[in-house]
Amino acid sequence: MLVELTAGSAEDAQRREADRPLLEVERAALAAPPALDAAAALAHDPQRTKVIAEVKRASPSRGDIAPIADPAALAADYASAGAAAISVLTEERRFKGSLRDLEVVRAAVEVPVLRKDFVSTPYQVLEARAAGADLVLLIVAALDDARLGELAALVRDLRMTALVETHSEQEVDRALAVGAEVIGVNARDLDTFALDRDLFGRIVERIPAGPVKVAESAVRSAADVAAYRATGADAVLVGEALVTGDPAALIHEFERAGA
Ligand SMILES: O=P(O)(O)OC[C@@H](O)[C@@H](O)c1c[nH]c2ccccc12
């Protein structure tokens, strides 16, 4: 499934590139207002767990989750409730997102914004910056070492931050090898969609002091957040629970959980 999602996203980007060539997107990326310092925004805070709140309509494992007619309004609610960053799914086929969602969210909030997608080409990184993203997701399992290194370097050249997503100790080592400042551990296996909430606790020790540690997926309750916090999470990335519940109340609860 990860291979299919990555190929689909790359194909969609290629289609956009036919209308908007790389040089043009590069120019827009370089002309965009500077990226915010996302590593600083997500850094460990003894007083609170940082929440990355996600704008998420659907997913291949869960189907339709929430319609979200106004992603900008949702993101503004997230930010005023205290979200440290906003994640915007831009994958079109299975997650029903778009770069347009990211642009309207960028205009609506002052916290860092993450492009959440199956990014595998420099064009997609440049598009993210041109749309105003501060963070780009790089999924280690979807990229070989050369590609991961190339994309991480481009993200850095654009003064953005990569959220480097892992699902095993070996992938953590690969994230560290490219100098990741923000490392995510996804509880969901993107090939099988199997969920393993204990994975974070098992592999987090592999991450030395320094990088920000983010627990991703299937955070439903303050108890989930407290468990992640107890094993060393600086931040949690939450989608479904927020778009199907009361986002402001949940963000407040999650921030305090385990702090
Ligand atoms: O809706 P959830 O279970 O709270 O999960 C959010 C986020 O972790 C999930 O959307 C995600 C994590 N890594 C990804 C990679 C691609 C697409 C989506 C994701």
Side-chain angles (χ1 to χ4, degrees), residues 32-38 55 71-73 75-76 79 84-88 98-115 127-135 160:
L36 303 173
D37 186 345
V55 175
I86 311 295
S87 167
V88 183
S98 70
L99 273 171
R100 178 75 195 140
D101 286 347
L102 193 141
E103 285 167 0
V104 301
V105 166
R106 167 72 292 156
V109 301
E110 280 167 14
V111 295
V113 175
L114 165 69
R115 179 179 191 185
E127 274 184 318
R129 185 76 278 273
D134 309 288
L135 277 152
M160 308 169 84

Side-chain angles (χ1 to χ4, degrees), residues 224-242:
D224 295 336
V225 179
Y228 279 140
R229 186 71 173 173
T231 51
D234 302 310
V236 291
L237 200 163
V238 192
E240 185 172 340
L242 298 180

Side-chain angles (χ1 to χ4, degrees), residues 54 56 95 116 118 165 186 216-218 237-240:
E54 186 156 281
K56 185 177 196 178
F95 292 86
K116 186 71 126 34
F118 299 83
E165 179 173 304
N186 193 354
E216 302 177 65
S217 298
L237 200 163
V238 192
E240 185 172 340

Side-chain angles (χ1 to χ4, degrees), residues 31-250:
L36 303 173
D37 186 345
L42 296 172
H44 180 76
D45 181 339
Q47 310 292 337
R48 64 172 181 136
T49 305
K50 304 282 177 75
V51 177
I52 306 172
E54 186 156 281
V55 175
K56 185 177 196 178
R57 292 196 180 86
S59 78
S61 63
R62 310 284 292 170
D64 286 336
I65 299 171
I68 314 183
D70 190 346
L74 178 63
D77 285 349
Y78 285 163
S80 52
I86 311 295
S87 167
V88 183
L89 252 330
T90 61
E91 198 275 347
E92 299 176 6
R93 300 181 183 202
R94 309 301 292 268
F95 292 86
K96 302 191 178 176
S98 70
L99 273 171
R100 178 75 195 140
D101 286 347
L102 193 141
E103 285 167 0
V104 301
V105 166
R106 167 72 292 156
V109 301
E110 280 167 14
V111 295
V113 175
L114 165 69
R115 179 179 191 185
K116 186 71 126 34
D117 206 324
F118 299 83
V119 166
S120 64
T121 66
Y123 186 84
Q124 293 167 301
V125 173
L126 291 166
E127 274 184 318
R129 185 76 278 273
D134 309 288
L135 277 152
V136 178
L137 185 73
L138 297 179
I139 302 171
V140 172
L143 304 165
D144 64 29
D145 279 335
R147 217 359 107 98
L148 179 61
E150 178 193 6
L151 297 177
L154 176 58
V155 167
R156 208 166 295 131
D157 285 348
L158 292 168
R159 306 274 184 270
M160 308 169 84
T161 305
L163 167 52
V164 184
E165 179 173 304
T166 67
H167 194 68
S168 69
E169 284 194 348
Q170 193 223 340
E171 288 180 10
V172 167
D173 291 345
R174 295 182 58 208
L176 293 168
V178 298
E181 284 180 273
V182 181
I183 298 182
V185 176
N186 193 354
R188 196 177 295 283
D189 183 310
L190 289 171
D191 266 319
T192 62
F193 298 138
L195 198 62
D196 179 358
R197 279 199 185 78
D198 300 326
L199 180 70
F200 181 89
R202 291 202 306 277
I203 72 176
V204 69
E205 277 158 36
R206 198 90 186 172
I207 308 175
V212 176
K213 304 176 194 74
V214 183
E216 302 177 65
S217 298
V219 170
R220 301 268 177 275
S221 67
D224 295 336
V225 179
Y228 279 140
R229 186 71 173 173
T231 51
D234 302 310
V236 291
L237 200 163
V238 192
E240 185 172 340
L242 298 180
V243 299
T244 58
D246 176 344
L250 288 169

